[in-house]
Amino acid sequence: MITHIPYGEWLPDIPAHQNPGMLTARNCKPYVNSYGPISQWTAFSDALPAYPRGNILVRDKDNNVYYFVGDETDLYDLTGTGWTERTRTSGGDYATATDEVWEFAQWSQIVVATNFSDEMQSITLGGANFANLGGTPPQARHIAVVRDFMVAGNTWDASDGNVPNRIRWCAKGDITDWTIAAATQADKEDLLGEGGWVQRVVGGEYGIVFQERSVWRMTYVGSPVVFQLDEIMPSRGTIAPGSVIRVGHLTFFLSNDGFEVLVNGTERQRIGHNKVDRTFFADLDEANIHRMSATASPKEKLVYWSYPGDGNSGGTPNKVLIFDWENQRWSEMDDVVYAMGSASDTGTTMDAMDAVLAETGTDLVTNGTFATDSDWTKGTGWTIGSGTATHAAGAASALSQDVSPTDLEGYYLTFTVSGRSAGSVTPSI
């Protein structure tokens, strides 16, 4: 049973005297007019050799799931519970700078990765290794797919060097063609003014470009302009690229004065003002703000931000802020989270569960193979021998064993019946 405790809203920015809400809501999730427990974190893979700098979850056309992660020197794909290195075979290990991260984007059956320090990388889903993306794309800190284009932001190329206020896009429908040409619609745009570095590009039907002090909307209009760029938030941008996360028509981000959300790419709403903004900034380790990351649970209507706060070790994020966008409530959690991301797996059938559990499950039953005549409580008519439990004809009776299940966990019971001539078997827990 999950219990939601009715309490006022967590409002740590308001002084304690006559505060209409609560000063503490730690290690819980917000709900309407209440707070509830956070599900226990569960490990689903082996540890990486180094801390993750970015990740992406994708599915191919056959619904196979791929989970890619990058660290300082390598790219990996999750295989079962282990990591398979997918680093390029030509060019050597990657050289991700200390304050840089990996960003990923899916282009049909291809995943593209960039870390700014190295050439842009790509892998076909199901392929063996990443490789340099063809077509001489720029090195870039940020990438996203907007309509039929791969858009890169904050770029470097051999001709112009570092151009942190630039966005550049490939030819329409072709990520291996970055040569600027009116016929293909490949082009670039330098965002002039006081916006500063491009901090993130968010994709979809329209694009959103976050600078340090400005936000732009990219709307496809075709040749010769290609994209119409409208500055929708002058003097307001994001100070933390990893804080930006889009969930449907909502794009959440940390601006220079607090947490905000952009609705439909046009309407700005402040969600942390007079609630958590001052408390967050007082706790934030700004020297390691590049370690901030975000994920969302659309089903729960929750956004999670991990960040390095007071007491962190070496800049490792040790705090999590949680926002319920439906009920406009916040809570916090104390936990070390190197990088936020989404995870999933493919569906399976009951017939395939044996193989899955043989690899990942923990058997609660002792001597489930009946290798010895022990550990089981035998009712009338039961005998154990030669790897089989046998029941003689006659009155029904139980063959049982005590186990220790855990709350909120799932369990799977399997058994094999052979040599049956009459009667029935009824499992019970």
Side-chain angles (χ1 to χ4, degrees):
M1 180 177 70
I2 297 177
T3 302
H4 297 170
I5 302 174
Y7 279 120
E9 185 178 359
W10 180 49
L11 300 170
D13 282 5
I14 297 179
H17 180 60
Q18 295 186 342
N19 188 314
M22 298 193 303
L23 297 178
T24 302
R26 182 172 290 115
N27 299 323
C28 58
K29 288 193 290 191
Y31 295 90
V32 58
N33 299 323
S34 64
Y35 291 84
I38 293 176
S39 300
Q40 183 178 1
W41 296 87
T42 302
F44 71 94
S45 74
D46 300 332
L48 284 162
Y51 84 81
R53 303 285 191 95
N55 58 83
I56 189 174
L57 169 77
V58 298
R59 294 177 185 268
D60 67 12
K61 58 185 175 57
D62 297 317
N63 203 34
N64 297 308
V65 172
Y66 297 84
Y67 188 59
F68 295 102
V69 174
D71 63 17
E72 179 182 2
T73 59
D74 294 289
L75 290 167
Y76 304 88
D77 176 27
L78 185 64
T79 305
T81 60
W83 297 100
T84 300
E85 186 178 322
R86 301 297 186 188
T87 302
R88 62 189 175 187
T89 57
S90 177
D93 287 349
Y94 305 112
T96 312
T98 301
D99 58 351
E100 301 290 355
V101 300
W102 285 97
E103 285 193 16
F104 298 84
Q106 182 176 8
W107 178 274
S108 185
Q109 302 301 296
I110 297 172
V111 167
V112 178
T114 187
N115 67 349
F116 186 71
S117 305
D118 295 282
E119 295 86 351
M120 205 175 290
Q121 300 292 293
S122 70
I123 188 172
T124 300
L125 295 179
N129 293 90
F130 279 88
N132 294 350
L133 177 63
T136 61
Q139 293 173 215
R141 286 188 166 90
H142 311 292
I143 53 172
V145 176
V146 181
R147 295 258 319 203
D148 305 319
F149 302 85
M150 177 74 71
V151 179
N154 199 326
T155 66
W156 180 95
D157 61 52
S159 298
D160 298 333
N162 287 334
V163 190
N165 62 318
R166 173 173 292 176
I167 56 173
R168 184 172 168 182
W169 53 91
C170 69
K172 185 176 182 181
D174 186 356
I175 58 171
T176 63
D177 183 356
W178 292 79
T179 301
I180 295 174
T184 66
Q185 301 186 30
D187 208 343
K188 65 183 179 183
E189 185 74 30
D190 294 342
L191 303 176
L192 305 178
E194 301 179 354
W197 284 25
V198 172
Q199 296 280 73
R200 198 65 181 263
V201 181
V202 179
E205 177 65 19
Y206 56 87
I208 303 174
V209 181
F210 286 85
Q211 292 181 271
E212 296 171 280
R213 294 171 298 276
S214 185
V215 181
W216 300 75
R217 178 178 169 126
M218 299 178 65
T219 305
Y220 178 71
V221 294
S223 296
V225 175
V226 187
F227 283 105
Q228 176 180 314
L229 290 164
D230 298 300
E231 189 176 20
I232 56 177
M233 287 176 54
S235 303
R236 181 78 75 247
T238 184
I239 59 174
S243 73
V244 181
I245 179 168
R246 183 170 183 173
V247 188
H249 68 291
L250 305 173
T251 304
F252 299 90
F253 63 100
L254 176 67
S255 74
N256 50 8
D257 62 1
F259 287 95
E260 306 191 21
V261 61
L262 193 61
V263 182
N264 293 320
T266 56
E267 179 189 351
R268 167 204 174 209
Q269 296 177 6
R270 301 180 69 181
I271 57 176
H273 181 59
N274 284 337
K275 293 188 176 185
V276 302
D277 287 343
R278 287 203 306 271
T279 300
F280 167 78
F281 281 120
D283 188 43
L284 175 66
D285 175 4
E286 294 189 19
N288 290 290
I289 196 171
H290 62 278
R291 298 286 299 272
M292 192 172 183
S293 62
T295 192
S297 174
K299 182 178 179 180
E300 299 177 291
K301 307 297 190 295
L302 297 178
V303 181
Y304 297 80
W305 285 276
S306 71
Y307 70 95
D310 183 51
N312 76 77
S313 176
T316 300
N318 62 334
K319 304 286 183 69
V320 179
L321 275 180
I322 307 171
F323 178 63
D324 179 341
W325 71 75
E326 190 168 72
N327 298 301
Q328 300 291 298
R329 281 183 167 231
W330 291 85
S331 66
E332 62 177 342
M333 180 171 65
D334 295 322
D335 212 336
V336 174
V337 181
Y338 286 90
M340 288 283 188
S342 299
S344 181
D345 56 20
T346 54
T348 188
T349 65
M350 293 299 290
D351 292 336
M353 284 299 293
D354 284 340
V356 174
L357 292 174
E359 179 180 2
T360 64
T362 300
D363 195 350
L364 297 186
V365 174
T366 302
N367 188 27
T369 60
F370 304 116
T372 60
D373 187 4
S374 62
D375 306 300
W376 292 91
T377 300
K378 297 176 291 184
T380 301
W382 283 101
T383 59
I384 295 177
S386 302
T388 302
T390 302
H391 185 261
S397 62
L399 179 71
S400 63
Q401 182 178 138
D402 290 338
V403 297
S404 299
T406 303
D407 288 346
L408 302 180
E409 296 287 347
Y411 293 95
Y412 175 66
L413 174 65
T414 179
F415 57 91
T416 301
V417 178
S418 63
R420 172 188 171 274
S421 59
S424 62
V425 179
T426 304
S428 63
I429 300 177

